[in-house]
Amino acid sequence: NQTIRARIAALAGQQPEDVFLFPSGMAANYAVHRMLTTLFPGRKTAQLDFPYVDVLKLQQRFGSGAHFLPMIRESEYDDLRALLQNEPLAGLFCEAPSNPLLRCVDFERLLEIRQATRPDTPIIVDDTISTVVHADAHRVADVVTTSLTKSFSGAGDVLAGSVVLNRRSPHHAAFSAFLHANADHELWRGDAVALEHNSRNFTEPMFVFVIMVIAGTRPVPDSAAGPRLTVVARGAVGPASKGAVEGRHAGKPQIGGN
């Protein structure tokens, strides 16, 4: 557990004590939702864009409920502004990018809206798809959640999730105290051993993966020449997701504003 925390913390630019491990990505999301609804009782959360569906259902069925803004129309940013002006929320949930639609909230606009309405509203970003290798979600988020089952493990033989707190967040002390006191944030020994082993070279295949995603390619076996890349689709990066995911090899990655 300590080795995995240190590995994630080094990539995220945070401290190992700010990394909390859970038996799955959804367990990590549940711990964060429980924390928010306990520290901000009676408040709803808001889900921005269409997420991994269980994350939305978690917010709708537990606590005080949730507002769901698919963020399909430009006018929904005005709806979010009005919502925050009229109602304090326990947190704003979003993904960078979303699973499975690969959309991304305009984080610069989100930060501007929060600052102009309720600056103390926590933002929770799930970076499972982009991964910590390619995006620094802490530029936006008070809390970052990740399913370690997927890219971080990369082997399909272990479930795990993480919560990483942002030390620059005004909520850091309260969130850290709550998770240390109330969350079962240790992996079972066998899962921890498998995850630590699988993630030793985590950053190497992720550089290949992001190039393939951007180019719309996938590896195809070739018995004669070895693995090669074949174009299977081409996509465009819309204005809402521009700058959401940037390779670390090109400098400090960014999500949205400062």
Side-chain angles (χ1 to χ4, degrees), residues 7 11 128-134 148-156 195-214 217-219 229 245 247-249:
R7 185 170 298 159
L11 290 167
T128 297
I129 300 299
S130 62
T131 80
V132 68
V133 173
H134 301 297
L148 303 177
T149 306
K150 302 175 178 67
S151 299
F152 189 79
S153 171
L195 187 63
E196 190 282 322
H197 179 270
N198 294 346
S199 63
R200 288 177 184 177
N201 68 338
F202 165 55
T203 59
E204 297 174 15
M206 288 313 300
F207 283 126
V208 176
F209 173 76
V210 79
I211 293 170
M212 286 163 32
V213 169
I214 293 173
T217 61
R218 64 182 175 86
L229 291 180
V245 179
R248 284 186 178 269
H249 60 281

Side-chain angles (χ1 to χ4, degrees), residues 20-212:
F20 300 82
L21 301 177
F22 295 89
S24 69
M26 280 308 303
N29 274 282
Y30 178 80
V32 170
H33 184 264
R34 178 178 175 229
M35 174 184 75
L36 295 173
T37 54
T38 300
L39 295 178
F40 305 106
R43 295 187 186 183
K44 293 182 178 181
T45 58
Q47 174 64 52
L48 310 181
D49 208 337
F50 190 84
Y52 182 73
V53 68
D54 288 346
V55 176
L56 174 60
K57 294 303 179 183
L58 167 66
Q59 298 172 67
Q60 291 174 333
R61 297 185 180 184
F62 295 92
S64 298
H67 299 282
F68 176 38
L69 286 76
M71 309 308 285
I72 297 173
R73 303 180 305 275
E74 282 290 307
S75 61
E76 289 182 278
Y77 287 96
D78 294 327
D79 296 339
L80 174 61
R81 186 184 299 272
L83 174 62
L84 286 171
Q85 287 173 338
N86 295 322
E87 179 182 343
L89 299 177
L92 300 168
F93 283 76
C94 46
E95 298 177 346
S98 62
N99 178 12
L101 299 181
L102 298 181
R103 287 168 42 85
C104 200
V105 172
D106 186 331
F107 286 108
E108 291 184 353
R109 291 182 70 180
L110 174 59
L111 290 173
E112 182 276 321
I113 291 170
R114 182 181 70 165
Q115 183 62 34
T117 54
R118 296 187 187 272
D120 61 340
T121 304
I123 294 177
I124 301 87
V125 175
D126 190 293
D127 71 349
T128 297
I129 300 299
S130 62
T131 80
V132 68
V133 173
H134 301 297
D136 183 4
H138 288 96
R139 286 177 60 86
V140 173
D142 298 274
V143 182
V144 175
T145 59
T146 310
S147 172
L148 303 177
T149 306
K150 302 175 178 67
S151 299
F152 189 79
S153 171
D157 61 355
V158 63
L159 294 175
S162 67
V163 171
V164 183
L165 301 181
N166 186 344
R167 296 186 73 83
R168 297 186 300 272
S169 168
H171 303 288
H172 177 268
F175 287 176
S176 178
F178 183 92
L179 290 176
H180 278 291
N182 297 284
D184 182 8
H185 49 83
E186 294 285 339
L187 294 178
W188 177 65
R189 181 177 59 184
D191 288 344
V193 169
L195 187 63
E196 190 282 322
H197 179 270
N198 294 346
S199 63
R200 288 177 184 177
N201 68 338
F202 165 55
T203 59
E204 297 174 15
M206 288 313 300
F207 283 126
V208 176
F209 173 76
V210 79
I211 293 170
M212 286 163 32

